[in-house]
């Protein structure tokens, strides 16, 4: 999930952790709203990220962080992970389809592969042959 952040972080690690926390807050709120209207939410949600240090720090219980904002984000994400509200998974940056909307798009076959994954029914080989 990409969203404008309200704070400025000096390192990628801090901004990725803040984004992870915002995503998890959104997931918690969304599952609450769905339950309130009678739609059961069973099982955990899956959160994918391409920053291994953030994912590793979110799953290590005794991780030490120096900034208070990162520590708060860590405890929030870690609490939800421990309660099995969400599960964190790594996605390679070359396979991350969210990068198509947040970074300078690649060209050639790599771009076509990204778009094909997002809009598979438009660029699928079966549609081209028809």
């Amino acid at each position: 999930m990409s969203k404008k952040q309200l704070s400025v972080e000096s390192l990628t690690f801090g901004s990725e952790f803040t984004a992870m926390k915002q995503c998890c807050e959104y997931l918690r709120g969304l599952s609450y709203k769905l339950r309130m209207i009678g739609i059961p939410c069973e099982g955990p949600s899956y959160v994918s990220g391409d920053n291994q240090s953030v994912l590793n720090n979110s799953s290590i219980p005794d991780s030490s962080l120096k900034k208070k904002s990162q520590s708060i984000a860590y405890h929030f994400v870690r609490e939800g992970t421990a309660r099995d509200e969400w599960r964190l998974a790594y996605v390679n940056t070359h396979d991350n389809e969210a990068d198509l909307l947040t970074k300078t798009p690649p060209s050639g076959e790599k771009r076509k592969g990204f778009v094909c994954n997002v809009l598979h029914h438009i660029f699928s080989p079966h549609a081209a042959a028809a």
Side-chain angles (χ1 to χ4, degrees), residues 78-96:
R78 180 74 189 125
E79 174 195 356
T81 304
R83 292 171 51 179
D84 205 28
E85 284 183 70
W86 46 75
R87 293 183 184 166
L88 307 176
Y90 174 74
V91 61
N92 191 325
T93 191
H94 300 294
D95 301 326
N96 192 354

Side-chain angles (χ1 to χ4, degrees), residues 17-115:
F17 229 123
T18 303
M20 177 81 68
K21 178 181 170 260
Q22 287 177 347
C23 177
C24 292
E25 286 173 340
Y26 180 78
L27 282 173
R28 185 174 280 175
L30 183 62
S31 65
Y32 177 75
K33 288 176 187 174
L34 289 172
R35 285 193 311 269
M36 289 295 104
I37 61 173
I39 300 172
C41 296
E42 298 176 12
S45 300
Y46 292 88
V47 179
S48 300
D50 62 358
N51 191 321
Q52 285 185 328
S53 61
V54 170
L55 295 171
N56 290 338
N57 274 303
S58 299
S59 59
I60 299 171
D62 58 346
S63 180
S64 62
L65 300 168
K66 294 181 178 158
K67 288 189 171 181
K68 186 173 182 177
S69 62
Q70 292 174 2
S71 180
I72 291 169
Y74 162 78
H75 285 291
F76 183 81
V77 173
R78 180 74 189 125
E79 174 195 356
T81 304
R83 292 171 51 179
D84 205 28
E85 284 183 70
W86 46 75
R87 293 183 184 166
L88 307 176
Y90 174 74
V91 61
N92 191 325
T93 191
H94 300 294
D95 301 326
N96 192 354
E97 295 157 359
D99 285 349
L100 185 64
L101 304 173
T102 59
K103 296 180 181 174
T104 305
S107 61
E109 289 299 314
K110 187 173 179 181
R111 179 186 175 102
K112 186 177 178 183
F114 270 152
V115 174

